[in-house]
Amino acid sequence: MGEPRVIECRLPAKSSGARRRRMHTGCRMALSRGLRCCQRVLSWVPVLIIALVVLWSYYAYVWELCLVTVTYPLEKVIYLIIFHAVFLIFIWTYWKAVFTPPKQPSKKFLLSYAEKERYDNEESPDAQKQILAEFARKLPVYTRTGSGAVRFCDRCQVVKPDRCHHCSVCGMCILKMDHHCPWVNNCIGYSNYKFFLLFLAYSMLYCLYIASTVFKYFLLYWTDELSNGRAKFHVLFLLFVSLMFFISLMFLFGYHCWLVGMNRTTLEAFAVPVFQSGPDKNGFNLGVQRNITQVFGKHWRLWFIPVFTSLGDGFSFPMRTVSESQNPLLSREDHWDEEASDEENPASYESSDITIQIDK
Ligand SMILES: [Zn+2]
Ligand SMILES: [Zn+2]
């Protein structure tokens, strides 16, 4: 009779321990889910700040300046027409920069289950390197790590395409990653770099237009030739805020213009890409004109409109140091669209025997 009692005593103790552990794990998961949720909500705060500043600038310019302060009807109309044209294109580019999702590597860069198992079971780093090298042979991947290995993302389990990097904020690999921008709460990469540049350019134009038209009324208020308390406050702030944003954006835009001219991403400006023959900071530099068309496309009329016109597929990029006869990406640049459609068919890369030789 004693034994069953012992069993009776142990069972509840065991099950309560397991229950406690389950509860503990459950609490931890709920907490981390809650934290992730908070992080996601907080990441929209900078976008909200920009939206509020833009809304205020709209009210201050349209109502307080044009409708309350400006007295000549023709001046009013001209100011309002130009302002709305600039405002609309500025909002359009901001929308595209915020809501265009960054592009990720396709499935062909993902290790298969068997390859992953082989990779994980291998303890020697050299053997792991070899497995990745074998896998990458069928892919258009020419950049390497500092030690010469194929670039692999442990978190996404993908072989990183050239110029692709893992973003710790987004938690995924981003094609031609430039940087993660908190002001648009998005990763800037291959799919939205043009939109980001246009957003910077049109923000500057918006600020410059406001500053230049407000300046005259700023002087009139300053010399006490106009006296409206509330409008005065808005006009003064319009000038200061637009000038402040214009000057800060000017440096950022200037830096990105230089990057586009050199065909470098912000990340590549800080960490030189390594090719099979070694590091080369100008590895993707094709000359200013071709570098610009890589981002903005071949038709200059579409350069200024926020529609996607960048060349290529985001997975592979023409390289300056590889002679055209040897690099199919350069000699077949006119067939980018065809290559993009080959994405679903990895065999197309297997069949082309690519030999890359870097001219030093
Ligand atoms: Zn990754
Ligand atoms: Zn990101």
Side-chain angles (χ1 to χ4, degrees):
M1 291 297 283
E3 267 186 24
R5 237 180 282 139
V6 171
I7 291 166
E8 270 172 28
C9 287
R10 277 178 188 166
L11 273 172
K14 260 189 170 177
S15 61
S16 73
R19 209 179 303 136
R20 265 204 305 275
R21 271 198 301 279
R22 269 204 304 274
M23 276 173 66
H24 186 64
T25 315
C27 282
R28 259 186 14 213
M29 278 171 69
L31 194 69
S32 77
R33 220 175 294 145
L35 278 173
R36 267 205 306 273
C37 193
C38 281
Q39 206 177 7
R40 227 172 292 149
V41 172
L42 285 176
S43 65
W44 284 101
V45 170
V47 177
L48 188 70
I49 292 172
I50 296 224
L52 290 174
V53 172
V54 171
L55 278 178
W56 164 76
S57 70
Y58 183 87
Y59 160 77
Y61 192 88
V62 172
W63 184 259
E64 299 292 352
L65 180 83
C66 293
L67 299 179
V68 173
T69 309
V70 177
T71 45
Y72 298 109
L74 184 65
E75 193 181 0
K76 249 182 219 197
V77 171
I78 292 171
Y79 276 13
L80 284 172
I81 288 173
I82 300 175
F83 174 81
H84 280 94
V86 177
F87 181 78
L88 284 177
I89 190 106
F90 160 60
I91 294 296
W92 186 10
T93 52
Y94 189 50
W95 182 271
K96 294 287 276 187
V98 173
F99 294 108
T100 303
K103 207 172 168 189
Q104 291 175 263
S106 64
K107 280 182 187 162
K108 72 181 178 193
F109 291 88
L110 194 72
L111 287 191
S112 68
Y113 182 76
E115 279 158 331
K116 180 74 191 73
E117 206 164 37
R118 247 181 85 206
Y119 179 82
D120 285 340
N121 291 338
E122 206 55 74
E123 279 175 11
S124 138
D126 283 339
Q128 285 186 326
K129 241 171 143 177
Q130 194 53 40
I131 292 170
L132 290 180
E134 273 171 37
F135 179 75
R137 211 166 285 156
K138 61 186 177 187
L139 298 169
V141 173
Y142 306 114
T143 49
R144 296 288 182 263
T145 63
S147 63
V150 167
R151 300 185 320 126
F152 180 67
C153 178
D154 272 320
R155 281 159 287 189
C156 307
Q157 301 290 308
V158 291
V159 165
K160 289 181 189 171
D162 292 347
R163 315 186 87 178
C164 171
H165 293 276
H166 184 89
C167 173
S168 54
V169 182
C170 301
M172 57 189 186
C173 278
I174 310 291
L175 295 184
K176 200 191 173 193
M177 182 179 168
D178 191 89
H179 68 288
H180 186 93
C181 178
W183 296 106
V184 297
N185 190 27
N186 202 359
C187 232
I188 305 303
Y190 173 75
S191 63
N192 55 10
Y193 189 52
K194 181 190 168 188
F195 304 146
F196 176 73
L197 291 172
L198 288 180
F199 160 62
L200 292 183
Y202 286 120
S203 311
M204 284 171 61
L205 184 65
Y206 183 68
C207 292
L208 193 65
Y209 176 72
I210 289 180
S212 54
T213 48
V214 156
F215 188 67
K216 175 179 151 191
Y217 293 92
F218 168 79
L219 290 179
L220 289 177
Y221 277 124
W222 199 252
T223 51
D224 283 334
E225 284 174 50
L226 289 172
S227 56
N228 183 328
R230 200 183 59 186
K232 184 177 182 174
F233 164 82
H234 285 289
V235 167
L236 294 185
F237 268 85
L238 264 181
L239 184 70
F240 287 128
V241 172
S242 56
L243 281 180
M244 191 186 76
F245 273 98
F246 178 78
I247 292 166
S248 355
L249 286 168
M250 201 172 64
F251 289 107
L252 187 62
F253 184 67
Y255 179 61
H256 277 282
C257 285
W258 177 77
L259 287 176
V260 170
M262 303 299 280
N263 203 346
R264 274 179 218 167
T265 63
T266 303
L267 290 176
E268 286 162 359
F270 287 97
V272 174
V274 179
F275 294 85
Q276 281 155 316
S277 65
D280 182 1
K281 64 181 176 183
N282 284 316
F284 298 107
N285 188 349
L286 310 168
V288 176
Q289 202 183 338
R290 289 184 74 188
N291 292 343
I292 293 171
T293 57
Q294 287 293 307
V295 176
F296 288 95
K298 286 179 178 169
H299 307 289
W300 69 268
R301 283 185 193 86
L302 296 174
W303 285 7
F304 309 99
I305 301 168
V307 290
F308 184 80
T309 49
S310 300
L311 298 184
D313 55 9
F315 298 108
S316 45
F317 301 88
M319 289 174 278
R320 181 185 67 98
T321 45
V322 181
S323 68
E324 296 217 2
S325 58
Q326 287 164 313
N327 183 1
L329 298 174
L330 278 175
S331 54
R332 288 162 56 211
E333 202 180 55
D334 290 338
H335 306 298
W336 278 114
D337 293 339
E338 290 165 33
E339 286 188 2
S341 64
D342 283 346
E343 197 185 302
E344 308 306 322
N345 178 21
S348 62
Y349 284 105
E350 284 175 72
S351 58
S352 56
D353 188 17
I354 300 166
T355 310
I356 298 297
Q357 188 180 325
I358 311 288
D359 302 326
K360 274 279 170 186

